[in-house]
Amino acid sequence: MGSIGAAAASRSWTHRFTFVLLVAFAFGLMLIGKPDSVLVSRVRMMMMDITAPVINAVSRPIDAARETASDVRDYFALKAENEALKRQNDTLLEWQRVARELQAENASLRDLLNFQPGPKVSFVTASVVADTSSSFVRSLIVLGGTRAGVAKGQAAVTGSGLAGRVLEVGERSARILLITDINARVPVVAERSRDQAVLAGRNSDLPELLYLSRDSDVKIGDRMVTSGQGGVFPAGLPVGEVVSVTGGHILVQPFVDFSRLENIRLIDYSLPGILLNDLGVDTTKALSPAKAGTITSGASE
Amino acid sequence: MIRPSLGQQADIAWRAALPVGLTLLLMFAALLSWHLPRLGTIASALVLISVFFWTLHQPGLMSMWGVLSIGLIHDLMTLAPFGVGLLVLLIVHGIALWQRKALNGMPFLLIWGLFGVVAAGATLLTWLLVSFLQEMLVNPAQAFNLFLLELVCYPPLAYVFAWIERRLLPTD
């Protein structure tokens, strides 16, 4: 009986010792995960590559059910929408005529100025398979990796505007760091007043404008677009609208609705700036001119 | 002694893997792109609740190795500062294991109350560690939202888990 009791006590001590070791291991991971994020990033990419196709397969029936429900709702709205679209189409055709005229005029003026065109933009459209946002992180996983031509640092945009940038890339999947994440910094400019600032994520729905000059004239309703500084995003991408100016804090409502993202366009603008680190990088800091990402597939605009 | 057949062994194995498997399944289900606003925090909340519940009720099937694998996969999938989720889950597992005998047979409200205290501590610790590793104070409102979500989700999830435990798992 005594030996059984001793064995149980020994097992209990071994268990406690192992538990303490595991807690120390978790502490160790926190420490190595911080400075050596390349290693953690690689393991994360492998994990994403394994799980993203599975998550995508599982989410298909959910998407199908949602689409069916949406189709039924849409059916009733179709007639009114059709009328509106016909009117819009007439307007757009008129705009197309104007655009063609301007295009021809632009071409002739460029000819006169001996204008050097910038690099061509290429893109990959990828579907969002997982929303890995939490209280402390804002990110998504998309189905599209190096095989499809996705590269780290590419801008992630939707029809509404800038959503984020590619943070990690695996072979078949990539992780997008959203502009609402606490690590995201986007150099922006107010469309009306031309005041420059940095849009900083706060892990909430409304990122904040930082480093505005004291005499800036930013007001509620002002549209913010990328300024192109830092060489990560090109100038002029729509980002969001100022919704609150209180006590020196200026909050911006992004144009992109992050909760309803289904597809995202990953664009390579072939800009000279690159991102130095995975996280915590201030993209407004001077970035070394280096190689731009190379797209192997995708259409050109 | 009669050796169990292959079918019996498989049956025992899947039941033994149920708490850890269910936790991972819930986490991945929460990570699916549901296109619903503010759903992001739910994966972390579900994982914490599941680890606490199963450690309390089936400690043999939610071992520290199970918590280790759940914590690692959670941290890899969610882009949280690496190791933070694992550390917090291990501590929650340790507390649940330590309080297990004292809570045995106690009314549900008391267990829920203890979970509230553990969840508050776990969320506070996560917030502090994330702020420390990010070198900036993370919005405390987000941490508070996570805590509220954990508190509110505990009763319905505990009810479902208890049903699964009664139906599918051997008594401890």
Side-chain angles (χ1 to χ4, degrees):
Chain A
M1 196 68 188
S3 66
I4 293 170
S10 161
R11 262 204 311 276
S12 169
W13 276 108
T14 311
H15 183 269
R16 280 179 201 176
F17 181 68
T18 316
F19 182 75
V20 171
L21 270 186
L22 283 188
V23 171
F25 172 68
F27 257 115
L29 283 183
M30 265 167 48
L31 297 179
I32 64 155
K34 175 73 176 156
D36 189 12
S37 60
V38 175
L39 174 70
V40 175
S41 182
R42 278 199 187 140
V43 181
R44 276 190 165 130
M45 278 184 252
M46 280 167 54
M47 186 78 189
M48 275 187 329
D49 273 348
I50 296 165
T51 52
V54 180
I55 292 177
N56 186 43
V58 174
S59 62
R60 288 248 169 100
I62 298 164
D63 286 346
R66 203 184 58 245
E67 274 168 24
T68 310
S70 165
D71 285 349
V72 173
R73 274 198 309 273
D74 288 351
Y75 178 78
F76 294 102
L78 272 180
K79 198 172 176 230
E81 197 179 336
N82 195 29
E83 289 296 321
L85 284 174
K86 275 181 183 167
R87 281 196 301 274
Q88 196 181 31
N89 194 36
D90 290 343
T91 316
L92 288 175
L93 283 171
E94 179 58 21
W95 274 111
Q96 189 189 44
R97 188 188 61 74
V98 174
R100 282 192 174 141
E101 276 177 22
L102 288 173
Q103 192 180 30
E105 188 183 325
N106 201 14
S108 66
L109 290 172
R110 279 181 176 180
D111 234 17
L112 287 172
L113 290 169
N114 198 20
F115 177 76
Q116 296 297 313
K120 278 203 168 179
V121 171
S122 51
F123 65 86
V124 174
T125 303
S127 54
V128 177
V129 289
D131 180 356
T132 50
S133 298
S134 70
S135 297
F136 307 107
V137 189
R138 297 287 159 125
S139 68
L140 300 170
I141 294 177
V142 296
L143 203 62
T146 47
R147 284 186 190 178
V150 178
K152 191 174 161 182
Q154 286 176 350
V157 301
T158 70
S160 313
L162 182 70
R165 65 175 168 84
V166 177
L167 180 73
E168 296 170 337
V169 196
E171 278 192 20
R172 287 180 291 269
S173 59
R175 192 187 294 272
I176 311 296
L177 187 77
L178 301 179
I179 55 171
T180 47
D181 187 274
I182 199 161
N183 292 293
R185 298 285 185 275
V186 182
V188 289
V189 61
E191 232 173 28
R192 182 186 56 82
S193 63
R194 306 312 294 170
D195 283 311
Q196 301 235 356
V198 170
L199 186 79
R202 305 185 311 145
N203 282 354
S204 72
D205 295 342
L206 304 175
E208 186 178 2
L209 287 184
L210 300 179
Y211 313 127
L212 262 173
S213 64
R214 281 173 185 272
D215 56 345
S216 67
D217 182 33
V218 173
K219 292 176 184 158
I220 290 176
D222 278 355
R223 280 167 55 91
M224 305 304 295
V225 297
T226 49
S227 68
Q229 290 199 357
V232 177
F233 300 113
L237 279 177
V239 177
E241 186 180 304
V242 175
V243 288
S244 160
V245 183
T246 44
H249 291 284
I250 301 178
L251 303 181
V252 173
Q253 173 77 58
F255 290 130
V256 175
D257 182 356
F258 296 103
S259 63
R260 288 182 174 78
L261 283 180
E262 291 180 28
N263 292 298
I264 212 161
R265 191 176 278 190
L266 309 173
I267 306 184
D268 185 4
Y269 289 96
S270 304
L271 292 166
I274 59 161
L275 297 163
L276 297 174
N277 291 313
D278 281 329
L279 288 170
V281 68
D282 184 346
T283 56
T284 57
K285 285 179 186 166
L287 296 162
S288 58
K291 61 187 182 287
T294 315
I295 285 284
T296 51
S297 67
S300 287
E301 276 182 341
Chain B
M1 189 175 164
I2 303 163
R3 210 174 152 202
S5 70
L6 211 61
Q8 284 171 322
Q9 283 179 26
D11 188 59
I12 292 166
W14 87 261
R15 283 172 203 271
L18 193 69
V20 173
L22 194 63
T23 310
L24 289 174
L25 200 70
L26 279 173
M27 185 184 78
F28 279 109
L31 289 178
L32 285 181
S33 198
W34 291 96
H35 306 295
L36 293 171
R38 296 185 181 82
L39 199 69
T41 51
I42 207 160
S44 309
L46 295 182
V47 166
L48 188 92
I49 292 169
S50 192
V51 165
F52 181 83
F53 179 92
W54 291 114
T55 306
L56 216 56
H57 294 87
Q58 293 283 342
L61 304 185
M62 181 57 83
S63 67
M64 61 178 132
W65 302 109
V67 178
L68 176 77
S69 46
I70 292 166
L72 282 175
I73 293 171
H74 173 267
D75 283 0
L76 285 173
M77 284 302 294
T78 59
L79 195 66
F82 200 51
V84 173
L86 170 62
L87 180 72
V88 170
L89 285 180
L90 278 171
I91 291 171
V92 167
H93 171 74
I95 293 171
L97 211 57
W98 170 51
Q99 285 297 316
R100 193 176 161 260
K101 281 184 183 155
L103 287 170
N104 200 11
M106 289 283 179
F108 176 76
L109 274 179
L110 198 76
I111 298 175
W112 189 20
L114 175 78
F115 172 76
V117 175
V118 172
T123 316
L124 183 68
L125 180 65
T126 310
W127 180 74
L128 285 172
L129 288 173
V130 172
S131 296
F132 171 71
L133 290 170
Q134 306 267 29
E135 294 167 14
M136 63 180 110
L137 276 185
V138 179
N139 188 358
Q142 296 295 322
F144 187 67
N145 286 347
L146 174 64
F147 163 68
L148 282 185
L149 193 68
E150 286 163 351
L151 201 62
V152 170
C153 287
Y154 187 79
L157 264 182
Y159 180 81
V160 175
F161 288 161
W163 183 86
I164 291 171
E165 189 188 16
R166 275 197 309 275
R167 292 292 174 103
L168 300 173
L169 296 180
T171 49
D172 189 39

